[in-house]
Amino acid sequence: RLGPRKIYIPLNKTAPCVRLLNATHQIGCQSSISGDTGVIHVVEKEEDLNWVLADGPHPPYMILLDGNLFNRSVLMQLKGTSRVSGLAVSIAKPNPPQGFSPGLKCPNDGFGVYSKDYGPQYAHCNTTVWNPVGSGLSYEDFDFPIFLLEDANETQVIKQCYQDHNVPRDGSGPEYPLCAMQLFSHMHAVTSTVTCMRRNSIQNTFSINPETVCDPLLDYNVWSTLQPINSSGKVDREQEVIIVATRIDSHSFFWNIAPGAESAVSSFVTHLAAAEALHKASDVHSLQRNVMFTFFQGETFDYIGSSRMVYDMEKDKFPLRLDNIHSFVELNQVALRNGSVLWMHTDPVSWMNESVQTQVRNLLDILSNSSVGANVTLQEAGYSQPLPPSSFQRFLRARHIPGVVLTDHQAAFQNRYYQSMYDTPENIRMQYPEGLSPEETLEYVTDTAKSLAEVATVVARALYRLAGGANNTSAIQADPKTVTRMLYGFLIKMNNSWFQSIIKPDLKGILGDVPQHYVAVSSPVNTTYLVHYVLANLTGTVVNLTKEECLNPDKTPNAEKELYDYAWVQGSLDPNSTTRVPYCVRSTVRLSKALSPAFELRQWGSTEYSTWTESRWKEIRARIFLVASKELEIITLVVGIAILVFSLLATHFINAKADVLFSIPRDPGAVAY
């Protein structure tokens, strides 16, 4: 409640919509340079919009919009009027039943493999619309600020202020003072990546204090291999490698709100569990083919990570060449299976090539056979349909590689909240019993974890067979306990005891509460670090080295630094004390740059590579306060000016007559003779 002593109430739990740019467009939102202000109007049903758009006497309005009305038709109405100065959106509880995806109907269109030269009948989602609920809102440009209210208490404060001051009385406008809101989110970059990067370049050339206006979206891909390879050299041309891939980033309409439960987390957690299961097989070091586990960052924004890895392989800047790739298995969205079915998608264009067809057929057979006895049924999605949006498409652009993409959908996504703030643990049906402590919740094995562990088991067994393993695969089994811990850590609470025990001591600051998986511009982001250390924990070995030896493997005999990565991690807490028992982990986990080649090549208008940048800004904040009527403000101003003029005249008059007003009386003692 706004009291007499509290002029402003800041809103601390908000997330803004910010401006992103690509080669040709700017998308997102921004406020004017000094923030935008408006009288608050609460819109809970579509009829409430009439007051804002036509009837209300106090425009411009700041709308507090119910989450269920946050859709394309409402936002396009608001975009077309000058009576709206901004928008605060409350989260819909429960998730909107009709689905909500601000992404595109055809994600990453134009940057995959299908084009006028390769499978033109499949380009632009001509045969399959992958994300039918996609409204494309995230890719619109709004010239007013839009903020998400993350805290229900703050939403209630705004509603109360509205109830107390702004509710229309008997059809006529409310009396002053009115409750108003101010949103600050001014963006520095305009027009497109071409324009903002050119401005950066000019600033860097001529200015002593260059002011950057935008930054490329960038991070790191995480990768490791089953058998160690020389990371600074080149793998032999004869060595065959099977690539397993997933994306680790997501997105939504609002900045750094990207839970990505189904669109990213379900798949990379399954991938991590499969890597652990395969590493535990007894004869992995004698397999004829190596397996590379790859986690791509920035895939949401036109395949930043995968396009960079392909570029590095082509330019000989990566230990592997494209020639080394035997086959490609990608895990896409896998948590929302219908029954037990998992769909295997293949590329219908390269299928026409006989040698590729034979290899793909072999790949599909091995996968199908690996699911025997598991609670997973693998089915072929058919050859009349293209690949869904996937990192594999970037590899296909470079080479006819046999590959398969595993998903829970045959055609359109099962995920009705793709790239939205509602792609949460609830979306993948993660449920915990009431009353568990955080520690018990971390260890509680959910049904979702069991079902993803089954998928991981099938994938690990198939990889073992693909790599040339001949033994019985029944011992290769993914652990649901590991999967449930990962789901908890990547979806509910990063700052948990398991994550604390497996990271380096100097990284403990990254363990925030609610995990978000947006690629961002400062790297590495928390997701990248954690995928790195979880992968090292699940696939590496604890080695008996001191802290100094672990941190400086160059000076340690037999460390084989080219083959292995060493990490000194803080370890778990001793049961009876507050000290940790740190140790050294040796693994084959590496990071490689996930920055689009467009920025390496300075081709900011590229149509071949991703060109996404994020604008810079000075401040982002929101606050509410009471605003007086224009008449009262004018009267106050006029009275103020009158008092100023009067005081100036009085001062001038007093100054002019100072000798009369302030003359010193003569000393009566001084007598003149």
Side-chain angles (χ1 to χ4, degrees), residues 49-248:
L49 283 173
N50 296 339
W51 184 263
V52 171
L53 298 175
D55 306 339
H58 307 119
Y61 284 97
M62 274 281 172
I63 297 176
L64 174 57
L65 188 67
D66 184 84
N68 289 302
L69 289 177
F70 185 59
N71 57 43
R72 190 176 181 90
S73 72
V74 170
L75 262 76
M76 288 302 139
Q77 286 180 65
L78 303 180
K79 192 177 175 179
T81 174
S82 59
R83 289 175 58 92
V84 173
S85 59
L87 207 54
V89 182
S90 62
I91 297 175
K93 292 245 173 21
N95 292 354
Q98 70 280 12
F100 172 75
S101 170
L104 298 169
K105 288 191 186 323
C106 191
N108 293 6
D109 186 21
F111 289 86
V113 71
Y114 303 109
S115 64
K116 62 180 193 305
D117 308 317
Y118 188 100
Q121 68 274 35
Y122 305 118
H124 314 303
C125 295
N126 279 346
T127 47
T128 308
V129 176
W130 295 108
N131 186 28
V133 292
S135 63
L137 269 183
S138 288
Y139 296 85
E140 290 290 335
D141 184 36
F142 296 95
D143 58 0
F144 52 79
I146 303 179
F147 277 56
L148 177 69
L149 300 170
E150 297 180 78
D151 184 357
N153 295 338
E154 287 190 343
T155 308
Q156 202 44 52
V157 168
I158 301 169
K159 283 187 176 171
Q160 191 58 52
C161 189
Y162 167 80
Q163 297 287 347
D164 294 347
H165 299 278
N166 294 16
V167 176
R169 311 270 177 230
D170 311 320
S172 63
E175 297 291 316
Y176 282 100
L178 296 173
C179 193
M181 184 187 293
Q182 190 172 25
L183 301 178
F184 297 84
S185 64
H186 182 66
M187 298 288 140
H188 294 185
V190 292
T191 312
S192 68
T193 290
V194 178
T195 305
C196 77
M197 290 301 286
R198 188 176 65 238
R199 287 179 182 173
N200 286 352
S201 179
I202 292 167
Q203 284 271 348
N204 289 332
T205 311
F206 297 109
S207 173
I208 299 168
N209 301 326
E211 186 156 312
T212 306
V213 291
C214 67
D215 304 279
L217 295 181
L218 79 155
D219 208 82
Y220 289 89
N221 299 322
V222 182
W223 63 277
S224 80
T225 50
L226 190 60
Q227 300 158 356
I229 59 170
N230 185 342
S231 61
S232 52
K234 280 275 169 288
V235 171
D236 289 346
R237 287 193 181 277
E238 293 70 51
Q239 169 80 61
E240 291 184 319
V241 178
I242 299 145
I243 292 189
V244 200
T246 43
R247 65 175 58 188
I248 56 173

Side-chain angles (χ1 to χ4, degrees), residues 221-453:
N221 299 322
V222 182
W223 63 277
S224 80
T225 50
L226 190 60
Q227 300 158 356
I229 59 170
N230 185 342
S231 61
S232 52
K234 280 275 169 288
V235 171
D236 289 346
R237 287 193 181 277
E238 293 70 51
Q239 169 80 61
E240 291 184 319
V241 178
I242 299 145
I243 292 189
V244 200
T246 43
R247 65 175 58 188
I248 56 173
D249 71 304
S250 187
H251 179 42
S252 82
F253 187 86
F254 298 99
W255 183 73
N256 207 22
I257 299 289
E262 158 77 334
S263 64
V265 179
S266 70
S267 52
F268 75 68
V269 160
T270 307
H271 185 170
L272 286 163
E276 180 191 34
L278 189 55
H279 267 271
K280 285 182 175 167
S282 53
D283 56 339
V284 285
H285 290 292
S286 58
L287 295 176
Q288 68 188 80
R289 295 188 189 98
N290 205 345
V291 178
M292 176 171 155
F293 304 101
T294 319
F295 299 82
F296 291 120
Q297 191 48 286
E299 294 300 273
T300 307
F301 295 96
D302 301 335
Y303 306 120
I304 294 172
S306 52
S307 62
R308 178 54 185 261
M309 188 173 278
V310 172
Y311 174 82
D312 285 347
M313 285 178 174
E314 289 176 321
K315 296 279 181 279
D316 273 354
K317 294 178 179 173
F318 196 79
L320 292 185
R321 302 175 182 85
L322 287 166
D323 298 345
N324 294 118
I325 302 173
H326 169 268
S327 49
F328 200 103
V329 177
E330 180 166 354
L331 283 158
N332 222 314
Q333 309 182 69
V334 291
L336 296 174
R337 307 207 309 274
N338 246 345
S340 62
V341 179
L342 202 59
W343 296 94
M344 302 185 286
H345 297 262
T346 50
D347 172 39
V349 182
S350 56
W351 179 261
M352 302 300 180
N353 176 324
E354 260 184 59
S355 71
V356 173
Q357 188 176 5
T358 313
Q359 289 170 287
V360 173
R361 189 69 271 162
N362 176 45
L363 186 55
L364 296 174
D365 291 343
I366 286 176
L367 275 160
S368 298
N369 295 338
S370 301
S371 68
V372 174
N375 191 14
V376 180
T377 315
L378 284 165
Q379 291 187 14
E380 293 172 28
Y383 312 113
S384 58
Q385 145 172 305
L387 286 165
S390 50
S391 312
F392 177 42
Q393 292 200 27
R394 289 303 302 196
F395 284 79
L396 272 181
R397 272 176 87 127
R399 189 79 39 112
H400 276 327
I401 295 167
V404 64
V405 178
L406 300 175
T407 72
D408 56 24
H409 54 90
Q410 182 180 8
F413 294 162
Q414 297 272 19
N415 185 4
R416 290 173 305 131
Y417 305 107
Y418 184 72
Q419 286 181 15
S420 91
M421 55 195 172
Y422 301 116
D423 191 2
T424 53
E426 293 75 45
N427 186 32
I428 59 169
R429 305 170 192 146
M430 270 172 72
Q431 288 167 327
Y432 293 95
E434 294 283 314
L436 295 184
S437 69
E439 206 54 36
E440 289 165 340
T441 318
L442 172 68
E443 300 296 341
Y444 179 81
V445 180
T446 59
D447 291 344
T448 308
K450 288 175 193 162
S451 103
L452 291 179

